[in-house]
Amino acid sequence: MSGIPEELRWLFWNVDLEAIDLVRNADAILGRVLERGRLDDVRWLVRTFGLERIHAFFFTRAHPEISRRTRAFWRAALGAREERWPEPP
């Protein structure tokens, strides 16, 4: 996995892109892109992390940046309407 592309810099205005590690900071990256990203940003995320990792992101923890609307969309997109996902704080 390479780093975050320059096109996504606008999503990470508050951090040094060179310091972001795609593995170590995966949840922060997923939360930011899934909640605020444009379609092309989400496409990059799916190519980079895969749908299985995105599903695990929602299934294992409730990220504080993720809205109900975004969770509902990904429940439908991932075919996970019946799964119990942790509720955000």
Side-chain angles (χ1 to χ4, degrees), residues 4 8 32 44 47 59 62 65 82:
I4 293 179
L8 273 71
R32 186 79 55 104
W44 170 82
R47 283 192 313 272
F59 187 75
E65 282 192 71
E82 302 303 316

Side-chain angles (χ1 to χ4, degrees), residues 24-83:
R24 188 179 66 241
N25 305 119
D27 283 349
I29 295 165
L30 287 160
R32 186 79 55 104
V33 175
L34 291 171
E35 185 61 34
R36 299 179 184 176
R38 302 168 295 207
L39 184 56
D40 284 341
D41 305 331
V42 174
R43 285 182 178 140
W44 170 82
L45 194 77
V46 171
R47 283 192 313 272
T48 303
F49 290 95
L51 290 175
E52 188 173 310
R53 177 61 177 94
I54 293 170
H55 183 225
F57 169 78
F58 285 106
F59 187 75
T60 58
R61 71 185 287 249
H63 195 278
E65 282 192 71
I66 299 295
S67 67
R68 288 180 170 274
R69 183 176 176 182
T70 298
R71 285 169 47 91
F73 171 81
W74 283 99
R75 271 186 188 279
L78 295 168
R81 289 190 177 127
E82 302 303 316
E83 290 182 356

Side-chain angles (χ1 to χ4, degrees), residues 16-32:
D16 176 12
L17 287 184
E18 301 300 319
I20 296 176
D21 181 271
L22 293 181
V23 175
R24 188 179 66 241
N25 305 119
D27 283 349
I29 295 165
L30 287 160
R32 186 79 55 104

